[in-house]
Each structure stands twice: as C-alpha cells, then as structure tokens.
Amino acid sequence: MSLHSLGEEYDEFAEARRRAWWMTYYCVLQGSIVSTTPLAIVANDPQFVTPYPRFAADPDGWAVLMQAQQVLVSATQFVIDLNKCISTRTNMPYIYERMQQLDTWASSALAQSNLLPIVPPSMNCGDGMEFTTAQSIRSISRIKLSSAQIKTHRFRAFSDIPIFIKKHCDLTAANSNNSAACNSAKDSRVQNGITDIRCSCGGLEPFQQSSSEYTPSTASSTSSDYQSISQYSFTSGFPFSIQHSAKVCLRAALLISRMFPSLPIPQPIINEPKSPQGMTLQPPNQLPRTMPSFACCLMQGSYAMLMIFYKARVEKQLSPDYGNKTTPSDRLIEELRQGLERIIATVTNYAAAFEALDGMRDEIEGAYQTAFPQL
C-alpha cells in the first residue's frame, strides 16, 4: 500500500490514508514506550515521507503530536541506555551528551506545543469534534513531552529511588524481587533525607527523616537545594545539577497533573435517560474517558511529585522557622498535594472503564495517603 511514502494527493481519501499511516507509526513507537524496549523501526527513517494529516482548526497539531511521540520514545531509549551504562559502569560520556540533547529537544518541542494555532478557533469549519480533537492533541503532546522530561532528568534528580511497590512502566519497584535495586539506593536515600523505604510487598511505609543523619548544618547542602550525593561516584559528569533536574521534574509533573483534567470527557449522543441496555447513564462529569495510551505519564508525574514532596518536607523540618509561620516549603507541599489529587481523580476516572488501571490508581493513592496521612 506504500502508506509511508504518499505524496501530496488531495482526493477524498487522502486525509484518511495519511491518518492511517501516522497512527500506525504512532502505535509502533507507543509499543516501545510502554514496554521499555528498543525501537523496532528507525523513527526518523527518510523513507517516511507521507505528509502529516491536518486539522482545519490546527494545521500543525499532527506534527506537534508526532514530534512529542518521537521525543518520548527517545527518552525511553535513554532510560534503557542509562540502565545499561550504570550496570556496566561504562560509556557514561555518551549518556551525558544524550541527556543534554534530549533536554534541548524536549524543551523546544514543549515550547512549540504551547504556541497557539495559526488558524483561530472560530475557523473550525463547523466540525466541533475535529476542533475538540485538535485541542486534545495539543494537551496530549504536552503530557508526553513532560513525561519525556521526567524520564530524562529522573535519575539525576532522584537516583531512581523506588516509591511504588509494584513495577509500573520503567519506574523502579520497591518490592522483594527488586532487593538489589533497593540496596543500591540505600545510601542515596540517606543523602536525600529519605529513609525507611522497605523492599517489601507488604506495603509502602512512611518516609522518615533521620535525625541522626540530618542536622541544620547539613541542610544547606542537601534538601534546600534539592541536592544529594549520589551513590554512583562514576556519574559525576552529568551536564545538569541535581537541583536543576529536580526543578525540571517538578515543572513537568505539575503540568501533567493539569493537562489530564483538561482532556474531554465522553458526550453521549443518546437523549434517553437510560442506555439501550437499560442501564442508567452516569452524570456527564463522571463518565469515564477512553483508555489512555499515555497512562505511564501519570505514574511518571506522580513519582516526581512524591519525591519532591519528601525533599520539601525535610527542608521544612530543617527550617529555622519550622512551626512558626508559612514557609515556601509549605506552599510547595500544598501545590504538590493538589497535583497528586488531580492525578488520582484522573486515574480513578479511567479505571471506571478499564480495570487494568486499578493497580496504578491504588499505588498512587496509597503513596498519597502515606505522604498526607492527616488528610
């Protein structure tokens, strides 16, 4: 069919053929992202010359989405390469260079995704569904690019310290089957002000500040700057500081938490109070969204916000004004709490129709309850 090498045809089926090809391409990349495996194709193969589809309301929407998918799959390959280099303690200069390239690429693509379409919304050619889809594609692109930023900076910021009990996407699991990873992260947890993560399937225990290991004299070089001393002494050549990478992860995670609720919810065209099967329809704002092909982005965002929360909590406890007045850490913690609540609400909505997401929802909600037990 040669869908990958179509020209500038403009017959009545041209748009359908273009969408068929680029969604096939998108799904191939998605398979690599979800499974954290090497890409089965060359993402930028010069043979892929089919023009992007176009929305009348947003002519660049498809190009933005495909670039976001390319950035995310590249960040996933970076995680694969990083894990190999860490385990063998070799080829770290390649990792440093690749990290800088991905950071620049993701930042540029995110800026492009934030640009307003050249065609104003009033010119949506009367097709409300196409206009809504075009808007959604922009939001999905921002979610994917933010997830790519977290993947790129996560190890530098947090040393991949595990929080979630089970394995989700490419995040390290804190279970008994992953005791080696937990042991290797033990020293880093101490330096980050995060202790008492047990390698156990029994539950996620609270992170506690160790008073014997933290004193006000060490605070300025640790939590206040989002800094830690990695247990990996051979990784000192990263192009970004721990503080910078943590801030990138924070901004990306908060953006993810805001973009998911902005996605549309189903709008049934049935006017009857009951569905054809006789089941009463839920209120419109409670109808489950479709299965997200980017659910892992929820986990990436949750992980980053939880890690920042524990760093901020240590900073708050070490502050001279602790307990006396509202501090910047208090405001940050409140913002993180709201962000996690938005993500929990989102994944709960998805899980109403797709029970496979129950595990993700339970993990995030359990970690949230551990972080904010009084709420």
Side-chain angles (χ1 to χ4, degrees), residues 53-354:
R54 291 172 66 88
F55 292 115
D58 187 359
D60 296 325
W62 278 88
V64 169
L65 177 65
M66 291 304 146
Q67 181 175 217
Q69 188 76 333
Q70 290 169 348
V71 174
L72 183 53
V73 77
S74 296
T76 302
Q77 301 307 304
F78 171 79
V79 171
I80 296 172
D81 293 340
L82 174 63
N83 290 337
K84 290 180 180 178
C85 292
I86 291 295
S87 63
T88 61
R89 302 196 173 205
T90 59
N91 208 20
M92 290 306 295
Y94 164 77
I95 293 297
Y96 305 147
E97 181 181 1
R98 188 60 179 151
M99 182 181 185
Q100 198 156 26
Q101 292 171 348
L102 282 171
D103 177 78
T104 300
W105 189 14
S107 298
S108 174
L110 188 59
Q112 183 179 353
S113 73
N114 288 326
L115 294 176
L116 294 176
I118 297 176
V119 179
S122 59
M123 296 180 62
N124 60 31
C125 299
D127 193 335
M129 287 187 290
E130 284 280 286
F131 179 60
T132 300
T133 303
Q135 287 184 314
S136 299
I137 274 184
R138 289 274 177 170
S139 296
I140 292 169
S141 298
R142 295 182 190 112
I143 290 170
K144 285 180 169 289
L145 290 168
S146 297
S147 183
Q149 288 183 314
I150 294 174
K151 284 174 178 271
T152 302
H153 287 271
R154 192 181 69 211
F155 179 84
R156 179 57 172 159
F158 313 121
S159 298
D160 272 354
I161 298 169
I163 283 184
F164 300 119
I165 299 170
K166 297 180 181 179
K167 179 70 174 176
H168 295 284
C169 310
D170 61 6
L171 293 168
T172 304
N175 59 27
S176 57
N177 294 326
N178 202 25
S179 58
C182 291
N183 290 333
S184 68
K186 180 179 179 181
D187 293 337
S188 181
R189 290 201 296 270
V190 171
Q191 295 296 340
N192 277 282
I194 302 171
T195 62
D196 202 27
I197 301 181
R198 304 290 177 82
C199 296
S200 169
C201 296
L204 182 64
E205 299 192 15
F207 290 60
Q208 301 290 339
Q209 176 192 353
S210 174
S211 59
S212 63
E213 292 157 346
Y214 269 88
T215 62
S217 63
T218 64
S220 61
S221 62
T222 54
S223 58
S224 62
D225 291 326
Y226 292 121
Q227 292 182 353
S228 67
I229 302 174
S230 174
Q231 76 274 27
Y232 303 104
S233 59
F234 58 94
T235 62
S236 58
F238 277 106
F240 303 101
S241 67
I242 294 173
Q243 177 187 17
H244 176 85
S245 288
K247 288 182 177 179
V248 171
C249 290
L250 171 61
R251 289 193 295 267
L254 289 174
L255 182 57
I256 288 173
S257 76
R258 296 187 184 105
M259 286 295 100
F260 266 103
S262 73
L263 296 175
I265 59 175
Q267 298 181 9
I269 59 175
I270 301 172
N271 294 323
E272 298 296 328
K274 292 182 180 296
S275 68
Q277 292 77 21
M279 297 182 64
T280 303
L281 292 175
Q282 293 176 291
N285 62 346
Q286 296 180 17
L287 291 172
R289 294 179 175 91
T290 57
M291 176 66 178
S293 64
F294 38 88
C296 283
C297 301
L298 287 166
M299 300 303 295
Q300 299 286 341
S302 300
Y303 174 84
M305 283 191 283
L306 286 163
M307 292 301 296
I308 296 293
F309 162 76
Y310 289 114
K311 286 176 175 286
R313 188 178 70 174
V314 171
E315 179 177 354
K316 175 183 175 180
Q317 292 171 340
L318 296 177
S319 171
D321 298 321
Y322 178 56
N324 296 328
K325 63 179 181 179
T326 301
T327 66
S329 293
D330 290 317
R331 292 188 289 272
L332 174 59
I333 288 172
E334 176 60 20
E335 190 171 10
L336 293 169
R337 183 186 66 79
Q338 293 176 7
L340 286 165
E341 287 179 349
R342 288 192 294 268
I343 284 185
I344 291 171
T346 297
V347 73
T348 299
N349 174 271
Y350 283 120
F354 297 93

Side-chain angles (χ1 to χ4, degrees), residues 353-368:
F354 297 93
E355 294 180 357
L357 294 184
D358 284 349
M360 286 187 176
R361 180 201 59 208
D362 293 345
E363 287 267 32
I364 298 172
E365 197 164 15
Y368 171 83

